[in-house]
Amino acid sequence: RHQHWLVPARSPLRAGTRAMAINPTLAEDAATRSLFPMPQAGETFVLKRDSINFECTLPRGGKLSGKGAFYLTTKRIVFVAEKSSRPDFTSFEVPLGHLANAAEPKFNQPIFGANYLSGEAVPETPADANSPLAGGATKWSLTFISGGAGTFLPLFFKLLDDIRRTPGRNSLANAAQQGRLNQVAYVDPSDPSVLYLSQPAAAPGSEEVTAFEIEEPSAPPAPPAQRNRWFWW
């Protein structure tokens, strides 16, 4: 029952916003024709990483999961699902500003299983009471099911550090805007992340929003009917 809407190319929908979100606006990359996060005002794309498992636990219970790719930009991480746990879940957005103001995300290296990045994010402003993100922190994880993370991790933590120390003065963002990421980033041969040496553009008229249906909690089961009991003396 999920629905898709095409947004006019000049629509300001979500432009410049920094709200953690389920199903942020996506669009077709004009070059590759694949779905990617619709660029926000002042945002620069840093890298894309395929072969990712995503999972999050919502504040009031319930989980979302999927397999796909994530995009790291100077403002956010956006996971875009190829397959997901429910048909109306297509993507998830975590603004870096939320992470910079919360507990440090952790890179986990279990003895058994793939490495994964985990963290918590809390909306900058109280979410609507009916929002699935209302009620506290959302715990999330990105599992690297193929390859290493030696290219991604330094860039990710450098972006967080720039946001904490010098908001608005991001040296890594400047390098990305100028197409010099390959000059400042360590390229790990085992990490299949793809650096953006030029910025992606959305195909005109391809913006897409997927409605996320909030599942109402089911009513508690009715108590069993009491049976009359007869006692004989």
Side-chain angles (χ1 to χ4, degrees), residues 70-190:
F70 73 73
Y71 296 78
L72 175 66
T73 80
T74 53
K75 289 189 173 185
R76 53 186 175 150
I77 289 180
V78 182
F79 169 77
V80 178
E82 297 171 0
K83 298 180 180 179
S84 65
S85 56
R86 46 186 286 178
D88 60 346
F89 171 52
T90 62
S91 55
F92 195 91
E93 169 187 307
V94 180
L96 298 184
H98 293 194
L99 302 180
N101 297 324
E104 185 82 3
K106 182 180 180 182
F107 185 64
N108 306 272
Q109 297 177 285
I111 297 175
F112 301 104
N115 297 339
Y116 64 98
L117 182 72
S118 62
E120 295 185 359
V122 180
E124 291 181 347
T125 57
D128 182 272
N130 295 321
S131 167
L133 299 174
T138 296
K139 297 181 179 180
W140 57 268
S141 66
L142 296 165
T143 300
F144 300 78
I145 57 179
S146 177
T151 299
F152 161 72
L153 286 174
L155 294 173
F156 172 68
F157 285 109
K158 177 67 168 70
L159 284 169
L160 289 185
D161 188 61
D162 283 351
I163 291 172
R164 291 189 182 104
R165 293 176 181 271
T166 54
R169 296 178 57 190
N170 192 319
S171 59
L172 186 57
N174 292 335
Q177 290 166 0
Q178 297 166 11
R180 297 187 295 104
L181 277 177
N182 58 334
Q183 299 176 19
V184 300
Y186 167 71
V187 178
D188 177 2
S190 71

